[in-house]
Amino acid sequence: MGPGDAGDPAVDDVEVIRVGGDARLAGTVHVVGAKNSALKLMAAALLAPGRTVITNVPRITDIAIMGEVLRRLGCLVRFEADDPVDPMVGHGGQARSRSVVIDVPEQPGADADYDLVRRLRASICVLGPLLARRGYVRVAHPGGDAIGSRGLDMHIAGLARMGADVSGEHGFVIAAAPDGLRGAEIMLDFPSVGATENLVMAAVLARGVTVIDNAAREPEIVDLCTMLNRMGARISGCGSSTLRIAGVPALHPVRHATVGDRIVAGTWAFGAAMTRGDVTVTGIDPACLEVALDKLVSAGALVETRGDAFRVRADDRPTAVDVVTLPYPGFATDLLPMAIGLAAVSDGASLITENIFDGRFMFANEMTRLGADIKTDGHHAVVRGRDRLSGAPVRATDIRAGAGLIIAGLCADGVTEVSHVHHVDRGYPDFVADLRALGVKVERGTAPEAPELTI
Ligand code: EPU
């Protein structure tokens, strides 16, 4: 029987990362700009005709796709070497950050199609700026994904409040405000990161004052508001749950450096505690990881902070701690897979509660393939720690689950092979080189894709 015949389903290769177990992370790692900031800063460039330059942008797939989204909207987008150059270059691999130069036309396009939006859910953040600039926008609805249902109702209700006529048709969100947007009082049901960003970017060019209550307070939102204010916007209350935005007639382009990635930094922090390692992380204000670092202290790690750096050292097996994810400044949902990994090797039982995404525990089944003892019930998981996990082939289902599985593999006997690591490439620039710089035996390769089970 030949390939493609019945009984021999065609297989494609997938990208895998293999890590050796019984590893200990030790050394210094530098984190570059945050994915979830840089993506929105790139969208914000649409608000001003002319040349915007954003530096410290991570070299990851999602940023490349966002560049493509902007090109399709008529922008010229070019990536350049960063200045200063990422200090990890000397540790192997290529620069993890670069600068993006975006030339925005007087009249950008107003359509973002499904072929790009489905590859990058964050493309939805062009909705606000394009509506503000063009008075009309049509963006594909991204739908749900591996971590949950991901609604858009708050984006839509807020824009409608500002006078837009918003409808859904053939899988698109269509918004029109031919006479421009007007300031409005908006109370979000939940401090949604994406809704806050879209509404701020719409409000900066609206007539009058917009007040967003129960706004998200993430450092990436502060970064966006800082750049917008430097472009001439009038936003006050940045970093608080009430944002007041006085609309202005036009904005001008600027040069702006992306804030450091607290989730990448947090990944290394958990990795250090789980492997009884000693890791110094630079390029990040430790204050934006306060709750996460405090959990590691409760788990028995020693944490030192100084300026734009912190160090996590652990000599003993972690003690079990409970974790509850919440909007910032609470424990970040994007660190949930790392919290489960920590719990899986801790002494005792941990109760982990996820409050942001309804599908975030989906990856727990992969963690149990590594021997983790996890019982989930709705948005809670009880994890009973084991002294050691057991290396196995597992599958990354999203960016953070992929990173969490790789870090968990460091605490296993034998080799762990994580497949579908294109997810990890979406959020972690050169994860393999960083692991190697921290002393891990790691390789990247391909493996045949196992056919999906049909029942
Ligand atoms: N939600 C609604 N309606 C809305 C908006 C949100 O029901 O109109 C719900 C979502 O379905 C979700 C929750 O509210 O259950 C939180 O969504 P939020 O809008 O806050 O998140 P997001 O903007 O879609 C960003 C990050 C995520 C990160 C979350 C929470 C980007 C590109 N993505 O998503 O990052 O987990 O905020 O902090 O900024 C990742 O980087 O791996 C990632 C998933």
Side-chain angles (χ1 to χ4, degrees):
M1 210 181 285
D5 291 342
D8 181 11
V11 287
D12 290 321
D13 282 352
V14 289
E15 298 273 308
V16 300
I17 291 177
R18 293 183 198 94
V19 287
D22 291 320
R24 175 175 183 267
L25 292 180
T28 297
V29 65
H30 178 76
V31 300
V32 298
K35 164 179 86 78
N36 291 346
S37 197
L39 289 169
K40 322 309 166 55
L41 300 176
M42 289 172 75
L46 288 166
L47 287 162
R51 177 168 297 181
T52 290
V53 181
I54 305 165
T55 64
N56 200 27
V57 171
R59 188 189 280 268
I60 50 173
T61 329
D62 275 15
I63 293 291
I65 301 173
M66 192 62 179
E68 203 44 47
V69 171
L70 295 183
R71 283 191 190 109
R72 297 245 192 122
L73 292 168
C75 302
L76 290 174
V77 180
R78 196 170 78 240
F79 291 96
E80 288 183 349
D82 235 353
D83 179 25
V85 172
D86 161 22
M88 288 302 283
V89 176
H91 293 255
Q94 53 193 355
R96 287 135 181 84
S97 69
R98 48 192 178 167
S99 298
V100 55
V101 181
I102 307 165
D103 283 296
V104 179
E106 284 296 333
Q107 183 86 323
D111 265 278
D113 277 332
Y114 189 46
D115 61 330
L116 282 176
V117 175
R118 75 177 160 188
R119 288 171 65 203
L120 177 67
R121 147 179 323 281
S123 343
I124 198 69
C125 67
V126 301
L127 192 64
L130 287 180
L131 182 60
R133 276 292 305 287
R134 290 290 314 271
Y136 172 83
V137 59
R138 182 173 168 273
V139 181
H141 194 303
D145 68 5
I147 59 172
S149 41
R150 326 249 355 218
L152 288 182
D153 50 308
M154 286 181 264
H155 302 237
I156 291 169
L159 294 175
R161 209 58 195 255
M162 294 169 72
D165 186 3
V166 193
S167 56
E169 236 169 63
H170 306 298
F172 283 85
V173 179
I174 300 167
D179 301 324
L181 295 165
R182 54 169 193 271
E185 303 254 328
I186 299 167
M187 166 68 91
L188 296 179
D189 293 346
F190 175 88
S192 153
V193 170
T196 303
E197 290 162 341
N198 252 327
L199 297 175
V200 167
M201 288 193 275
V204 286
L205 292 180
R207 277 191 316 280
V209 173
T210 300
V211 177
I212 307 176
D213 267 319
N214 201 21
R217 301 163 57 191
E218 272 68 3
E220 296 76 27
I221 291 184
V222 175
D223 200 23
L224 173 66
C225 292
T226 304
M227 172 163 139
L228 290 169
N229 279 344
R230 295 183 54 229
M231 292 169 76
R234 291 174 54 208
I235 309 168
S236 56
C238 308
S240 79
S241 40
T242 303
L243 294 172
R244 186 179 183 282
I245 305 129
V248 295
L251 298 178
H252 56 82
V254 291
R255 183 182 173 93
H256 182 86
T258 316
V259 71
D261 197 316
R262 66 198 161 97
I263 306 301
V264 174
T267 303
W268 296 125
F270 273 76
M274 287 165 67
T275 60
R276 301 173 211 186
D278 184 355
V279 175
T280 298
V281 182
T282 62
I284 183 84
D285 176 1
C288 67
L289 271 171
E290 198 176 344
V291 174
L293 293 177
D294 200 54
K295 279 291 161 199
L296 296 182
V297 171
S298 304
L302 293 167
V303 177
E304 288 166 32
T305 62
R306 114 185 97 78
D308 269 3
F310 65 83
R311 177 179 177 194
V312 176
R313 204 182 92 207
D315 298 327
D316 301 310
R317 184 178 174 195
T319 306
V321 289
D322 294 342
V323 169
V324 179
T325 67
L326 284 171
Y328 191 83
F331 190 95
T333 175
D334 289 342
L335 287 175
L336 180 108
M338 297 43 164
I340 297 228
L342 179 81
V345 295
S346 288
D347 188 7
S350 307
L351 177 62
I352 313 282
T353 305
E354 165 63 24
N355 287 315
I356 314 294
F357 290 113
D358 49 27
R360 194 109 231 192
F361 286 136
M362 295 247 294
F363 89 103
N365 290 334
E366 297 299 305
M367 207 64 127
T368 58
R369 299 204 72 245
L370 296 179
D373 180 350
I374 307 172
K375 296 220 169 16
T376 59
D377 184 5
H379 64 131
H380 299 292
V382 174
V383 186
R384 291 187 177 79
R386 296 231 153 110
D387 192 26
R388 237 50 269 72
L389 298 175
S390 176
V394 288
R395 179 185 179 130
T397 45
D398 73 275
I399 307 174
R400 313 302 172 186
L405 288 165
I406 293 169
I407 298 289
L410 305 179
C411 308
D413 291 330
V415 172
T416 293
E417 179 181 279
V418 182
S419 70
H420 297 82
V421 290
H422 60 275
H423 287 295
V424 179
D425 299 337
R426 293 185 44 207
Y428 292 80
D430 219 343
F431 202 54
V432 166
D434 284 349
L435 283 165
R436 205 169 275 140
L438 294 174
V440 174
K441 286 200 191 94
V442 52
E443 64 178 26
R444 187 168 175 133
T446 54
E449 161 98 283
E452 293 278 346
L453 294 177
T454 48
I455 51 164

